[in-house]
Amino acid sequence: MTPNEDVRLRAMEPEDLDLLYRIENDRRLWNVGTTNVPYSRYVLHDYIANASGDIYTDREVRFIIDNGVGETVGTIDITNFDAKNLRAEVGIVTLSEHRRHGYALAALLQITDYALHVLHLHQLYAVVNLDNKASLSLFKKAGFKEAAQLEDWLYDGKNYHPAALMQIFF
């Protein structure tokens, strides 16, 4: 699948509260990351209101992914920013109804370009559950390589799952 050329990354707005609430409280997504608690609308509203947009202050930056017709299709963020070693983690969520349209690949390619040309990072990395074949394929298509397998890295509340450390170097 080729990336969708019409994807646009934009800053979070107060109007994105419902989207963040939906994503952060979707228990099916908790197994692919490190979140395992629900977030209130108040906490998410406060997060949007207080995010400076400065990666050096917040150690992270989150973008909203819009498609060519202005629909919001997901989020992508750079977290765990390490200014000394010029690296950061990348995470992406595409809403289920907008998957398999090339939006995630386009957003990931744009965020890697941003990491290289704006943030001047040396590398981006992602930790991906080995059972998540779609995400592994996505990161490989975007140029990430599997650097290591991490045993029992992700816990879903009942079982531990291995993960792949995916990296891209600039």
Side-chain angles (χ1 to χ4, degrees):
M1 175 179 295
T2 59
N4 190 312
E5 301 289 328
D6 295 326
V7 167
R8 180 175 72 95
L9 303 183
R10 62 172 177 79
M12 289 184 304
E13 299 288 348
E15 295 79 17
D16 296 315
L17 177 61
D18 289 337
L19 170 74
L20 290 183
Y21 186 80
R22 179 179 170 190
I23 288 172
E24 296 295 344
N25 291 297
D26 185 342
R27 293 183 69 141
R28 295 168 297 183
L29 297 174
W30 292 358
N31 293 338
V32 299
T34 56
T35 299
N36 63 359
V37 295
Y39 286 94
S40 70
R41 288 184 186 280
Y42 176 81
V43 167
L44 292 171
H45 177 273
D46 194 50
Y47 169 73
I48 293 171
N50 292 311
S52 71
D54 179 0
I55 197 164
Y56 290 94
T57 300
D58 298 338
R59 293 194 58 232
E60 66 179 27
V61 63
R62 177 174 271 183
F63 294 96
I64 303 299
I65 307 167
D66 286 344
N67 67 13
V69 294
E71 295 173 308
T72 297
V73 300
T75 66
I76 190 165
D77 49 21
I78 294 175
T79 60
N80 297 321
F81 172 65
D82 180 340
K84 178 182 182 279
N85 295 298
L86 296 174
R87 67 174 170 244
E89 184 173 2
V90 63
I92 185 167
V93 174
T94 307
L95 298 173
S96 58
E97 63 270 23
H98 294 290
R99 292 182 185 148
R100 307 226 183 272
H101 296 285
Y103 301 136
L105 180 57
L108 192 53
L109 292 172
Q110 287 182 39
I111 206 84
T112 56
D113 184 72
Y114 175 81
L116 172 62
H117 293 103
V118 176
L119 300 177
H120 307 289
L121 296 183
H122 173 62
Q123 68 173 290
L124 282 176
Y125 67 91
V127 176
V128 181
N129 188 318
L130 283 177
D131 292 333
N132 191 339
K133 302 301 182 199
S135 287
L136 290 170
S137 176
L138 168 68
F139 281 95
K140 287 177 184 174
K141 286 179 186 174
F144 285 70
K145 306 282 187 229
E146 184 177 317
Q149 289 193 3
L150 308 167
E151 294 302 316
D152 290 349
W153 199 256
L154 300 171
Y155 183 62
D156 66 10
K158 295 179 184 173
N159 300 300
Y160 287 94
H161 300 274
L165 176 64
M166 305 296 293
Q167 291 177 290
I168 189 168
F169 294 92
F170 306 115

